[in-house]
Amino acid sequence: MTQKYDVVIVGGGAAGMCAAINIKMRDRSISVAVLEQLSRVGKKLITTGNGRCNITNLRIDLDRYHGEDVGFAEYALQTYDNHFAADFFSEIGVVFTYDETGRGYPYSLQASSVVDSLRFALDEYGVDTFVDIAVLSYSKKENFFNVKTTNGDFLCESLVVATGLYSGGNKLGSNGSMLKILKNAGYKTIKTTPAIVQLKTETDVVKSLKGMKVNADVNLSINGTAVRGDFGEVLFCDYGLSGPPIMQLSREVERQSGEKIISLDLMWEYSFAQVCDILSFRATALRARNLDEFLTGMLNKRVGQAVIKMCGLKLSDSVASLKNADIKQIASVIKGMKFKLTGTTGFENSQVTAGGLDTAQFSPKTMESKRERGLYCIGEILDIDGDCGGFNLQWAWSSAFCASNAICEDFGV
């Protein structure tokens, strides 16, 4: 059985639903179908922002985005910014609120309410949604695309690919199947790796600190060269490190080869010399203690004990036994607690995929393919990814508006 629509959108996630609704908002006479391989739309969106849905950010700057040609995203992000997104969502019942860092959320602080509002709008505007349906291939003849699926063929004039890539894994419908189909059709791709993901380290220290949190100035170096830094709360896990600054720095870990080191500055407000002075004073004032309590009151007790052990000192030794070289060694670890990275926790735990379709093959103003008129790609499947903080969802909205408005113009709207 073949079903015919003006527009077929593959992928019922953030970008796909936004594009479908925007088309129907502009002209209800344009027939639109959304094809989703899971049993319901928006499943991945429900998990965003720890269930609160970090929907955008007040500070949408290009330097918060990444890709081989990050400038590709400039037009979309500037033309259809967070204010444009807020206006769109207010039309379907979602009110935005912002925290002190500029992160935007639905006022309900429920990702499920955003999904529900999008789902209600799909129904209200007359979008036909098909679930439990997977695309097998597509072809184009004259001005029409024929999309072969597990539930028959779909014929359309405009085909929008909004499937995302690998983040979240199969449980969230992220298997990269459309990327493979487009690659087989001749589209060039950029290496895909997990981004915004936890990091694995050598585990002898982190296992002993499992569950502990510290605020730290965090830096990533590769082959001895500083790559990027961030600040915030770091969580020690049995496999390695997590927390916002770790996730923020994770993008480059599987994109570059060589020795990768994460360094935590546990006393970022103080210089190395100042830390040495503090430790020297403590060595005199607390000389009656053992080293297991030397840093108690200065650092978290367990973290302090880990620092002592990383310096090769025994917790049972007396503080009075410390030499000047030991003081400097302890200060060095406090100012740079280093962990050798062994990888990430993978696509299934990542919030976004870096890499994807080479953006040189698409128009930055419409997201339309330069190779096949009428084919559009939006969201994560393109080689654009953002930092955590609402930047990736804003890219989903912005790219969706570009494509859907271009489609409406093609239909004379």
Side-chain angles (χ1 to χ4, degrees):
M1 180 180 71
T2 299
Q3 301 187 62
K4 187 174 181 181
Y5 287 87
D6 294 321
V7 183
V8 168
I9 298 174
V10 183
M17 288 189 287
C18 178
I21 294 165
N22 190 51
I23 291 171
K24 297 294 280 188
M25 279 181 169
R26 290 190 55 172
D27 189 344
R28 289 188 182 233
S29 70
I30 299 174
S31 58
V32 180
V34 171
L35 313 183
E36 170 56 49
Q37 65 177 336
L38 296 179
S39 58
R40 61 175 296 177
V41 296
K43 191 169 182 180
K44 184 176 178 181
L45 187 56
I46 290 177
T47 68
T48 60
N50 291 321
R52 297 189 302 163
C53 191
N54 187 184
I55 202 165
T56 188
N57 197 294
L58 281 175
R59 304 175 182 92
I60 298 297
D61 300 318
L62 203 60
D63 62 4
R64 302 305 299 268
Y65 290 87
H66 313 279
E68 293 290 309
D69 177 18
V70 72
F72 176 86
E74 184 173 14
Y75 174 85
L77 294 169
Q78 289 185 353
T79 305
Y80 304 109
D81 59 10
N82 58 295
H83 302 293
F84 193 97
D87 289 341
F88 168 83
F89 276 97
S90 69
E91 290 286 326
I92 63 172
V94 179
V95 178
F96 286 10
T97 185
Y98 298 88
D99 67 13
E100 66 280 0
T101 70
R103 297 185 181 206
Y105 298 89
Y107 206 85
S108 64
L109 297 181
Q110 289 181 301
S112 59
S113 70
V114 176
V115 176
D116 284 342
S117 296
L118 288 164
R119 185 168 51 84
F120 296 154
L122 290 174
D123 292 339
E124 292 161 1
Y125 282 98
V127 175
D128 288 344
T129 303
F130 298 83
V131 296
D132 293 316
I133 184 170
V135 172
L136 303 174
S137 65
Y138 81 94
S139 59
K140 187 178 184 183
K141 186 175 182 181
E142 296 178 348
N143 295 325
F144 292 92
F145 291 93
N146 186 42
V147 183
K148 290 189 175 297
T149 78
T150 51
N151 191 24
D153 292 0
F154 289 79
L155 204 63
C156 61
E157 291 185 51
S158 298
L159 175 61
V160 182
V161 179
T163 53
L165 286 169
Y166 300 101
S167 297
N170 287 326
K171 65 182 183 293
L172 295 180
S174 302
N175 59 14
S177 58
M178 279 305 301
L179 183 69
K180 296 170 186 173
I181 289 171
L182 289 165
K183 189 173 182 179
N184 289 336
Y187 284 87
K188 181 183 176 183
T189 62
I190 304 299
K191 176 184 177 182
T192 55
T193 57
I196 311 183
V197 64
Q198 304 92 340
L199 297 180
K200 292 181 178 180
T201 71
E202 294 179 335
T203 58
D204 51 343
V205 175
V206 294
K207 274 189 175 181
S208 70
L209 296 175
K210 179 182 178 181
M212 300 302 302
K213 295 178 181 179
V214 295
N215 284 322
D217 192 17
V218 186
N219 286 278
L220 169 66
S221 64
I222 300 178
N223 294 324
T225 301
V227 174
R228 195 178 177 193
D230 207 280
F231 175 83
E233 187 177 76
V234 176
L235 171 66
F236 292 97
C237 307
D238 56 0
Y239 58 80
L241 301 170
S242 186
I246 298 297
M247 307 278 271
Q248 205 76 284
L249 302 181
S250 64
R251 183 184 191 274
E252 299 304 320
V253 171
E254 290 192 18
R255 299 191 74 77
Q256 298 189 44
S257 59
E259 184 182 58
K260 294 139 189 173
I261 302 291
I262 281 285
S263 176
L264 310 181
D265 185 343
L266 303 177
M267 296 186 71
W268 63 95
E269 307 102 324
Y270 296 88
S271 68
F272 175 77
Q274 288 173 322
V275 174
C276 285
D277 289 343
I278 293 170
L279 293 174
S280 295
F281 175 82
R282 294 173 73 86
T284 300
L286 309 177
R287 59 185 296 107
R289 296 183 186 179
N290 286 341
L291 288 180
D292 63 338
E293 300 293 351
F294 178 51
L295 298 177
T296 300
M298 179 176 174
L299 299 177
N300 172 281
K301 181 175 180 176
R302 282 169 57 195
V303 174
Q305 290 175 346
V307 168
I308 296 298
K309 287 194 272 189
M310 290 176 79
C311 293
L313 301 170
K314 294 180 180 179
L315 295 177
S316 58
D317 284 350
S318 169
V319 171
S321 68
L322 288 175
K323 302 178 176 59
N324 285 336
D326 297 327
I327 295 290
K328 289 182 178 179
Q329 179 65 15
I330 295 170
S332 293
V333 175
I334 289 173
K335 292 294 292 177
M337 195 179 193
K338 293 180 172 57
F339 299 91
K340 186 176 180 180
L341 299 179
T342 59
T344 73
T345 57
F347 282 118
E348 287 200 356
N349 296 292
S350 70
Q351 294 181 23
V352 70
T353 301
L357 289 169
D358 189 340
T359 56
Q361 302 162 114
F362 299 87
S363 164
K365 292 186 176 181
T366 66
M367 306 294 137
E368 186 175 22
S369 168
K370 295 176 181 178
R371 301 178 66 235
E372 295 178 284
R373 179 165 172 73
L375 175 68
Y376 302 80
C377 290
I378 58 177
E380 186 183 16
I381 197 168
L382 293 167
D383 177 35
I384 295 291
D385 62 283
D387 291 340
C388 55
F391 298 101
N392 287 292
L393 276 182
Q394 182 58 53
W395 170 242
W397 317 134
S398 297
S399 59
F401 291 134
C402 281
S404 56
N405 285 332
I407 288 169
C408 288
E409 288 173 10
D410 282 345
F411 280 96
V413 179

